[in-house]
Amino acid sequence: MTTSPLSLHRRALIGGLVAAPTVLRFGLARAEGASLFPLGVASGDPAPDGFVLWTRLAVDPVAPDGLGGLGAPIEVQWDVAADEGFRRIVATGRVTARADEAHSLHVEVEGLQPGRPYWYRFIAAGQQSPTGLSRTTPAPNADVDRLKLAVASCSNWESGYFSAYGHMADEAPDLTLFLGDYIYEYSRTGERAASNVRSYGLEDATTLAGYRNRYALHRTDADLQRLHAAAPCLVVWDDHEVLNDYSGVWSSDPAAATADFLQRRAAGYRAFYEAMPIRRTRLDARLQMPIHRSVRYGRLAQFFMLDGRQYRSRQPCVESGVARGQIVTDATCADRLDPSRTFLGFDQERWLYDGLARTDAAWTILGQDLIMAGLRFETGGDTRYWTDTWDGFPAARDRMTQALSTLRPRNPVVLAGDYHSFWTNDVKLDSRDESSPTVATEFAGTSITSGGPPYDGLMAAMKTNPHIKFFDSRVRGYISMDLTPEQMTARYQAISDVRDPSASVSTLKTWVVEDGRPGAQAA
Ligand code: FE
Ligand code: CA
């Protein structure tokens, strides 16, 4: 956290002048002297022989047209080295950064050795980017002793500083997971802006330029840049990468036409792709853009990164006027129970169950956006549900828990974001029946900055939900995990103050999951 963006840029600039004798100048009329790498670097989607390298060139990160102050194509060199000093460069190439992808680059590196660190950098127009550290995954059948993960979700720029991201970087994880709400599409206005620590200073994102600029602003943050440069990541989205509480092709605004919302969603998805170190994916004719994928980490872990937004059914009972994202009963919202409703979409469900049937890794990790175990609000003889989580899609959850129960992947662990609070849950085979078997362990990270839900109200509801072993919405932070073949340890890491850019971190709670025994135990 002592590295300011300015000093990062200066170091990159000086390094570039020394290291790159070939100066290429394309379309830099407005860029003379400015750093081309104010957004840092990132890597992701690791494989045994490579990973994706990412950067986005810009000189004016939030230029109103969303093009970062650049126009013409720029030729960029990328280097991957076996050592931090780049004495042994093992892969290199040239790519062209173009305006139609906002000068973002996705280099899918191949041909590397499994299970080891590599360092990478970009060079353009005589400038060198900051360097990043990435890692290939171990060979598919390698025995792996240990894997260190850091798990993040929900970073509202206006709600706080990203010190949690900085502490994640300090832990030097092998892999970082981002589980959604990486940006927020709206800016707070009026009274709500009074509690802002800093302002987006941007109109609500509804267009490609608007979404691009949200990601760009986040990436100017020194703590977030440092985290991306420290480890490869696996990223999925939740709702705020497009619009609060949207569901599939349906806007959360019942007045919005589906065709208009689809255009907005496509803009958000495209900006997500451009901003993230993920493998090539694109919008199809239906304006869908697949991002679900699986990554194996030797014999130790198989990650299934799931998309809980794009292929969903509509939020239940919107048409009957109960509306989205509300707490409903079976009497007020009968269509919640419709067995044809889906959460992941039937294609993604099939893909997942195929994968669950085949994996033999010691740990099966479902990285996704929303709480799966469910929460029943028991009030005045009624049972109520919040419809935006898996609770709005009980038939889809039943199919998932049945699949976990019958396909028997080893040690299923669900990771979730969205709720801005720490949760430790037993995922039950039948979410209506506390006595049914536990089929998976679930951990929900709190938020990097976003404000939590009311603590007292939710704690009152926990009394009638014994499958929820822990809940705390009062702190911001992340989850730090260690995996070995015998056990998983999850540490709930809490920062001291979201309003303090140099906040300290401490461990709120530690959990252990033992091989062969679903459900976390307090350590
Ligand atoms: Fe959130
Ligand atoms: Ca969310």
Side-chain angles (χ1 to χ4, degrees):
M1 252 145 317
T2 50
T3 313
S4 73
L6 192 66
S7 66
L8 259 180
H9 301 164
R10 196 176 299 128
R11 209 174 56 221
L13 185 62
I14 292 166
L17 290 174
V18 174
T22 313
V23 176
L24 303 163
R25 293 203 179 278
F26 290 91
L28 297 179
R30 285 192 280 165
E32 294 300 323
S35 168
L36 280 169
F37 299 103
L39 308 181
V41 298
S43 75
D45 286 2
D49 71 336
F51 32 69
V52 180
L53 301 182
W54 176 95
T55 192
R56 184 186 157 200
L57 279 63
V59 291
D60 179 6
V62 293
D65 65 2
L67 293 175
L70 297 174
I74 302 173
E75 197 176 336
V76 183
Q77 176 185 326
W78 57 268
D79 295 330
V80 173
D83 65 298
E84 195 169 2
F86 287 84
R87 281 176 294 275
R88 213 152 58 80
I89 291 179
V90 294
T92 184
R94 285 182 177 275
V95 284
T96 305
R98 298 178 195 281
D100 64 355
E101 291 192 325
H103 294 87
S104 66
L105 296 174
H106 297 75
V107 178
E108 298 190 33
V109 183
E110 297 173 346
L112 304 179
Q113 298 299 309
R116 59 149 296 162
Y118 288 97
W119 288 262
Y120 63 93
R121 67 186 176 191
F122 297 89
I123 298 167
Q127 293 184 26
Q128 185 179 300
S129 72
T131 61
L133 168 61
S134 193
R135 289 172 193 280
T136 50
T137 59
N141 289 320
D143 290 315
V144 180
D145 295 341
R146 188 163 176 271
L147 170 62
K148 189 172 169 54
L149 300 175
V151 186
S153 60
C154 294
S155 48
N156 188 313
W157 177 268
E158 296 181 332
S159 299
Y161 293 106
F162 290 168
S163 64
Y165 281 145
H167 287 295
M168 291 170 74
D170 290 342
E171 292 190 13
D174 298 309
L175 190 60
T176 306
L177 269 54
F178 294 93
L179 299 181
D181 293 356
Y182 188 101
I183 57 160
Y184 284 71
E185 81 286 6
Y186 63 88
S187 300
R188 293 195 288 214
T189 54
E191 269 176 37
R192 293 181 68 211
S195 61
N196 280 2
V197 167
R198 52 186 174 176
S199 171
Y200 267 114
L202 298 166
E203 284 180 19
D204 287 7
T206 58
T207 63
L208 180 57
Y211 289 112
R212 279 174 172 164
N213 284 350
R214 297 248 155 187
Y215 288 106
L217 184 63
H218 278 237
R219 287 289 174 72
T220 62
D221 185 275
D223 287 315
L224 181 53
Q225 282 197 13
R226 213 153 56 76
L227 176 58
H228 277 295
C233 62
L234 297 174
V235 189
V236 289
W237 55 42
D238 189 31
D239 53 343
H240 286 289
E241 283 82 353
V242 176
L243 171 67
N244 182 43
D245 285 354
Y246 86 91
S247 197
V249 299
W250 291 276
S251 170
S252 41
D253 172 6
T258 297
D260 294 340
F261 176 67
L262 262 181
Q263 292 296 328
R264 179 178 181 178
R265 194 185 81 159
Y269 286 1
R270 195 170 149 191
F272 176 90
Y273 169 72
E274 289 172 356
M276 295 301 180
I278 62 176
R279 292 180 189 274
R280 172 147 291 273
T281 180
R282 51 189 347 138
L283 291 161
D284 66 16
R286 289 184 294 168
L287 299 181
Q288 292 187 339
M289 196 181 90
I291 62 160
H292 57 282
R293 56 212 189 274
S294 184
V295 168
R296 184 177 170 96
Y297 205 90
R299 289 183 186 276
L300 185 60
Q302 183 89 36
F303 293 88
F304 295 94
M305 302 303 293
L306 305 180
D307 177 351
R309 284 286 164 188
Q310 180 170 200
Y311 309 109
R312 277 187 184 197
S313 303
R314 194 175 191 175
Q315 300 273 12
C317 49
V318 178
E319 283 162 40
S320 50
V322 180
R324 63 174 176 96
Q326 300 219 356
I327 296 182
V328 302
T329 68
D330 289 345
T332 61
C333 186
D335 63 341
R336 190 182 71 95
L337 302 170
D338 182 341
S340 71
R341 288 169 53 69
T342 175
F343 191 79
L344 299 175
F346 292 104
D347 289 348
Q348 187 180 191
E349 278 191 40
R350 253 191 307 276
W351 166 86
L352 175 63
Y353 304 155
D354 273 358
L356 293 178
R358 275 184 290 145
T359 181
D360 60 352
W363 297 91
T364 305
I365 299 179
L366 307 187
Q368 50 97 57
D369 42 355
L370 292 142
I371 300 259
M372 188 182 291
L375 170 64
R376 298 180 304 271
F377 296 92
E378 310 279 1
T379 44
D382 272 339
T383 304
R384 293 168 184 267
Y385 303 91
W386 174 255
T387 59
D388 188 54
T389 68
W390 283 85
D391 273 336
F393 304 77
R397 178 170 52 203
D398 285 347
R399 291 194 295 274
M400 169 72 88
T401 56
Q402 290 286 349
L404 291 169
S405 170
T406 57
L407 302 172
R408 300 215 165 272
R410 292 175 63 192
N411 297 314
V413 176
V414 180
L415 302 178
D418 173 65
Y419 227 113
H420 307 176
S421 35
F422 284 121
W423 301 55
T424 307
N425 304 333
D426 288 347
V427 180
K428 293 288 179 183
L429 176 59
D430 180 351
S431 65
R432 293 152 293 247
D433 179 3
E434 289 286 344
S435 69
S436 75
T438 298
V439 295
T441 310
E442 181 169 51
F443 296 111
T446 187
S447 56
I448 296 297
T449 57
S450 310
Y455 177 75
D456 291 337
L458 278 153
M459 277 308 278
M462 296 304 163
K463 289 186 194 110
T464 50
N465 287 266
H467 65 285
I468 299 169
K469 294 175 171 171
F470 182 81
F471 170 83
D472 201 326
S473 59
R474 297 169 297 182
V475 290
R476 314 279 67 85
Y478 58 95
I479 306 177
S480 168
M481 304 185 98
D482 283 307
L483 268 75
T484 70
E486 294 78 33
Q487 71 171 38
M488 169 185 281
T489 307
R491 280 179 301 278
Y492 288 175
Q493 300 290 84
I495 56 160
S496 56
D497 181 359
V498 77
R499 306 183 71 84
D500 176 1
S502 51
S504 61
V505 69
S506 59
T507 301
L508 178 69
K509 193 87 189 167
T510 302
W511 300 93
V512 171
V513 188
E514 290 168 6
D515 175 37
R517 187 178 171 197
Q521 316 298 320

